Amino acid sequence: MRRILTEVHSLALNAFGSPTLRLRTPLDWHIAPGQAVLVDLGESSGLLSPRFPSEIAAGLVSVPLDPDSSFRPGMGLSLAGPIGTGFRPPPSSRRWLLASSEPAPVRLLPLLSRGVERGIEIVFAGSQPTLGLPPSIEIVSSLDQALGWADYLALDASRQALPSLLASLDANGVATTALAAEIVVGSDILCGWGGCGACAISTAQGSYLACSEGPVRPLSSLLERRGRRGA
Amino acid sequence: MALELSSGKTDVRLERPWLNLPGTLGFSDEARNAIDLGQLGALVTNPVSLAPRRPANPPRSLRYPGGLLLHTGHANPGLRRTIRQHGSRWAGLPVPVLVSVLAQDAGELGRMVADLESIPEASGLVLFLPSMEGSTIARWVEQATSLQRPVVALLPLGGDLEAVLAAAEAGAAAILLGPPRGSLEIDGQSVEGRLYGPGLFPLALQSARELAPLLPIPLIVSGGIATPAQARACLQAGASAVGLDFILWKDPQAFLSDEAWA
């Protein structure tokens, strides 16, 4: 994790119509899809705000912004990151299935953009209507419809939705397939290095720290442990 | 500006009069890529219990104007596993390590003290003293001091004077005033936890002024201290050192760097 001073490039709306802050970043600062940052957005709590970027480009990163913020282009603000590990789709994968428990899966947007740039076939599965995705992306209503087709699965869940998501994946038999699969779970990150314990994600079999042992995890690390318990 | 913590038999010297609060920097060197740990006076580990503890159920952190309510459950792998995982790293750290001890009762405390006897890398203890009567506090401190290493009694900022005096008279090497507890409502649910953040600083400064003259041992105050100027104010008010919390997460160099103190 590195602390850098950034500058507001512009304010924009992300693919889902939510306000974002586009920040200029040093060219030697790199962040992967799925990794998080801590940004000094002037919170009244005095703390840095954890954010999952919605856009990653060379020298630029976009982070979700509260609607009542008063940032202007050219303003400076500090940022710490990248935090943890990001998505690592197998280089040979060509058919990605992305799914989210959220109506606006911001945490998946950078991965989705990267896939589109590389000409990957992408299907997005969401139980709720998802607007704003590129037209080249096929949208299905459930994972089942594309699990047999995909060679890589990337999931996004809120902490609240994680138990039901894992249960449905168990029911789908994902645990018994050889499909490369990863998951990112939203969490309130405070320190970014595993010091405070605030970002712990609990599953039926244990817990991990989103900042130092995530945010992106192999799905098998959650499902296999669930399987062992049931055995 | 150095601080000596004495057990009567062994002394620990903090070259700088500040340390992190338990629960801020992990169990050993987790923060090494973000913080120069040598810039601390001592490293205080995250709270360690005799048996492993799991994280508390969410929500664990609630932000509010002026600070943060944190309810982590003090998740840790238990004392013996913590020693196995981190004991060798303590030896390699550039500052003394104070192990933060979270016992449920006097019996647990006795077993933890016994386990720590063979761990010289633990230079001293920070003893959690939750809300309890002065006589109980005195017994716990006496029990912990049997380790013959400095025991820092951790009590809540703004808490009971009787408790502070009892810990001091029972042989604590120092008093550390740590995060007070509070509660917030979210979605109709009351969440209790420790309070951190800049909104606590006036209480920290006031506590330094009021308590330091009453104590025969060093007083370490904490609560929203974010700048060298705030630390100096606490030291001038009578504190012997300060405890750091949210600033270590937000911008540690703003406090720890030599430039900040120039």
Side-chain angles (χ1 to χ4, degrees), chain B residues 12-250:
Chain B
V12 174
R13 182 178 171 85
L14 280 60
E15 294 296 339
R16 295 176 170 85
W18 50 81
L19 43 71
N20 64 297
L21 288 186
T24 56
L25 292 185
F27 296 94
S28 57
D29 59 355
E30 290 93 326
R32 64 190 177 280
N33 292 329
I35 293 177
D36 177 358
L37 297 174
Q39 292 176 322
L40 294 166
L43 177 84
V44 180
T45 72
N46 275 9
V48 183
S49 49
L50 184 64
R53 287 171 65 114
R54 287 177 57 97
N57 290 328
R60 297 191 195 93
S61 58
L62 297 175
R63 297 163 188 244
Y64 62 91
L68 167 82
L69 183 149
L70 194 57
H71 172 53
T72 62
H74 292 312
N76 73 89
L79 179 60
R80 289 183 181 175
R81 200 164 161 199
T82 299
I83 291 171
R84 279 202 303 276
Q85 290 177 346
H86 298 277
S88 59
R89 292 180 186 164
W90 293 341
L93 292 176
V95 292
V97 173
L98 306 178
V99 175
S100 177
V101 171
L102 181 68
Q104 285 192 322
D105 52 47
E108 271 198 13
L109 178 58
R111 282 187 277 169
M112 295 179 78
V113 168
D115 283 348
L116 284 166
E117 269 181 11
S118 60
I119 311 298
E121 295 83 5
S123 300
L125 307 184
V126 171
L127 179 62
F128 268 69
L129 295 167
S131 298
M132 52 176 66
E133 291 185 356
S135 58
T136 310
I137 285 176
R139 278 202 307 277
W140 281 44
V141 171
E142 285 166 5
Q143 192 164 9
T145 55
S146 67
L147 188 61
Q148 301 193 338
R149 289 175 219 168
V151 172
V152 177
L154 175 59
L155 292 149
L157 181 67
D160 185 16
L161 175 60
E162 183 204 1
V164 173
L165 294 174
E169 288 165 8
I175 301 293
L176 168 57
L177 297 180
R181 291 186 70 79
S183 62
L184 288 171
E185 294 276 335
I186 180 168
D187 299 331
Q189 177 191 357
S190 178
V191 182
E192 285 186 32
R194 313 182 302 279
L195 303 179
Y196 298 94
L200 295 174
F201 176 70
L203 183 56
L205 184 57
Q206 175 89 346
S207 297
R209 285 207 181 100
E210 290 182 353
L211 291 182
L214 305 178
L215 292 174
I217 57 173
L219 174 67
I220 306 169
V221 294
S222 73
I225 294 165
T227 65
Q230 289 176 324
R232 283 192 189 102
C234 289
L235 296 175
Q236 286 166 4
S240 298
V242 297
L244 303 174
D245 45 51
F246 86 106
I247 194 61
L248 296 173
W249 303 327
K250 183 176 184 180

Side-chain angles (χ1 to χ4, degrees), chain A residues 42-124:
Chain A
E43 263 196 41
S44 61
S45 69
L47 295 159
L48 301 179
S49 305
R51 290 290 187 271
F52 284 87
S54 56
E55 176 192 17
I56 296 171
L60 198 73
V61 66
S62 296
V63 295
L65 186 64
D66 294 334
D68 58 352
S69 299
S70 56
F71 288 98
R72 296 283 179 273
M75 290 174 70
L77 75 170
S78 63
L79 177 151
I83 293 170
T85 53
F87 287 106
R88 287 172 288 195
S92 61
S93 60
R94 304 299 302 165
R95 298 183 303 279
W96 292 1
L97 172 58
L98 276 57
S100 176
S101 67
E102 307 293 291
V106 171
R107 290 183 286 263
L108 291 178
L109 276 180
L111 179 67
L112 199 147
S113 299
R114 192 151 296 181
V116 169
E117 286 168 13
R118 292 179 184 174
I120 303 287
E121 289 183 74
I122 301 176
V123 170
F124 181 84

Side-chain angles (χ1 to χ4, degrees), chain A residues 159 187-190 194 196-201 208-212, chain B residues 60:
Chain A
R159 193 155 57 182
S187 187
D188 187 6
I189 295 171
L190 284 182
C196 68
C199 65
I201 307 287
Y208 66 91
L209 296 176
C211 68
S212 59
Chain B
R60 297 191 195 93

